[in-house]
Amino acid sequence: KYPTPLENLTSSQGYIKQCRKRADMFTEDQLKTIFGNIEDIYKCQKKFVKALEKKFNTDHPHLSEVGSCFLEYQTEFQIYSEYCNNHPNACVELSRLTKVNKYVYFFEACRLLQKMIDISLDGFLLTPVQKICKYPLQLAELLKYTNPQHRDFKDVEAALNAMKNVARLINERKRRLENIDKIAQWQSSIEDWEGEDVLVRSSELIYSGELTKISQPQAKSQQRMFFLFDHQLVCCKKDLLRRDILYYKSRINMDDMEIVDVEDGKDKDFNISVKNAFKLLCRDPEEIHLFCAKKPEQKQRWLKAFENERKQVQLDQETGFSITEVQKKQAMLNANKQHHTGKPKAVTRPYYDFLMRQKHPTLPTNLPQQQVFMLAEPKRKPSNFWQNISRLTPFRK
């Protein structure tokens, strides 16, 4: 049996239609928060089901060839990412509204009017999250019982890999969105911050650690903490007495930089002897930054981190990943609320650990399917669905 993804989406459509009639109860922003882009998902799935039906042989089901449908729609399925990222906000808003009796009665009236099954609205809104993660399981089962000589075997196999990648992309975007709160907290803990917020251009901490920075023209050396984000490298200075307090010093735009490995010995640009060194070069205008690590292995980790930073930027461009202005501003607002004490803003332990131990994310490709796509089923009564999913979602940092 091929997937039928529309049944619960249709139910959610029934809610939206009635909610829009009640401008006295719901604003457009509230509806956007509760339902996200579920209508876009509905339109996409409607076309997808029609494509499946054309490929499904009702008289001889074993002759059906559905693999190509998944391959055709794999890019469009990425719209689920926006829905999954918005879902926690939907749960919060829905929880707030259902504390008022008139909203409880209204949602129940919508369900009865459409003759829907006995599941609350939050259960229906969870369904799209589950659907996108169940496709790989369904395709794996289909592949398991498909003869390798069948005309659809290769397409089903390719479809399985494609839908795994879609699920990985959604999980990775969810992780990235959760990380911006930690990045905002980090920035708010830095003393003397200057210029734009780090979230204006960045959303991923790639690597961090101590390096010796050598500056021209006197070849002055300074011990500094460096934080490599996508698009930028932030330089901070530790407090002389309290080493857990950091002061902002400068930043480097990584989009303009070229990484150069420097051999141990005399450096011609700075006219000094160096060890475990590398440079960041900017040709327009001419700009050279020289750094030295304490150990060779630390230097190699930094060189790898710079390589990963460029890969991350390229991947974000290819997949269209971005953080909205509203999400950035909200993250900074939340972080700043926690730091209005007027005292020196030490980097607190959770964020210090986050920064010191952060590694470039890697998405495992060899996990058993049941570990990759294990999600909770909707329940009959309202509950904290998303907390359960977050606990089970793979690829968490």
Side-chain angles (χ1 to χ4, degrees), residues 294-319:
K294 290 182 179 179
K295 299 178 180 179
E297 54 267 29
Q298 291 176 339
K299 169 186 170 178
Q300 293 304 316
R301 283 197 288 268
W302 272 105
L303 292 177
K304 183 63 177 178
F306 287 121
E307 181 184 331
N308 288 338
E309 185 270 339
R310 287 294 90 189
K311 288 181 179 178
Q312 185 69 66
V313 169
Q314 183 179 354
L315 180 63
D316 288 348
Q317 290 174 345
E318 291 173 353
T319 59

Side-chain angles (χ1 to χ4, degrees), residues 242-395:
R242 290 190 58 184
R243 307 298 283 176
D244 57 346
I245 295 179
L246 297 175
Y247 296 88
Y248 175 86
K249 301 306 293 184
S250 63
R251 75 180 89 191
I252 296 172
N253 182 3
M254 293 306 301
D255 294 340
D256 299 333
M257 291 295 158
E258 176 186 353
I259 315 301
V260 177
D261 191 354
V262 178
E263 294 182 0
D264 292 351
K266 190 90 171 227
D267 179 74
K268 61 180 181 179
D269 292 321
F270 287 75
N271 197 31
I272 59 171
S273 293
V274 295
K275 192 175 183 181
N276 306 323
F278 60 87
K279 291 178 182 176
L280 298 183
L281 302 181
C282 181
R283 295 173 182 171
D284 187 25
E286 187 174 342
E287 183 183 343
I288 304 176
H289 302 274
L290 178 62
F291 303 91
C292 294
K294 290 182 179 179
K295 299 178 180 179
E297 54 267 29
Q298 291 176 339
K299 169 186 170 178
Q300 293 304 316
R301 283 197 288 268
W302 272 105
L303 292 177
K304 183 63 177 178
F306 287 121
E307 181 184 331
N308 288 338
E309 185 270 339
R310 287 294 90 189
K311 288 181 179 178
Q312 185 69 66
V313 169
Q314 183 179 354
L315 180 63
D316 288 348
Q317 290 174 345
E318 291 173 353
T319 59
F321 175 80
S322 64
I323 304 293
T324 67
E325 291 302 316
V326 173
Q327 290 167 334
K328 294 174 186 176
K329 290 178 181 178
Q330 188 60 50
M332 290 306 305
L333 183 64
N334 293 340
N336 290 331
K337 283 180 180 178
Q338 298 181 25
H339 287 286
H340 282 322
T341 61
K343 300 177 182 179
K345 298 175 286 186
V347 183
T348 55
R349 177 54 56 182
Y351 303 112
Y352 186 82
D353 290 343
F354 162 72
L355 295 163
M356 295 301 106
R357 299 177 184 178
Q358 182 84 343
K359 296 179 181 178
H360 184 70
T362 55
L363 302 181
T365 57
N366 58 349
L367 287 176
Q369 283 178 322
Q370 56 267 40
Q371 292 183 26
V372 177
F373 305 107
M374 186 167 58
L375 292 172
E377 289 289 340
K379 299 179 180 179
R380 293 282 169 173
K381 296 180 179 179
S383 64
N384 298 326
F385 287 112
W386 189 255
Q387 285 84 338
N388 294 332
I389 289 180
S390 296
R391 178 171 54 83
L392 297 172
T393 300
F395 316 128

Side-chain angles (χ1 to χ4, degrees), residues 40 44 57 87 189 199 269 302:
D40 294 332
C44 174
N57 190 324
H87 191 271
S189 73
L199 289 177
D269 292 321
W302 272 105

Side-chain angles (χ1 to χ4, degrees), residues 27-38:
T27 66
E28 274 302 316
D29 285 343
Q30 281 180 310
L31 295 182
K32 181 65 178 175
T33 299
I34 295 171
F35 297 101
N37 64 333
I38 199 169

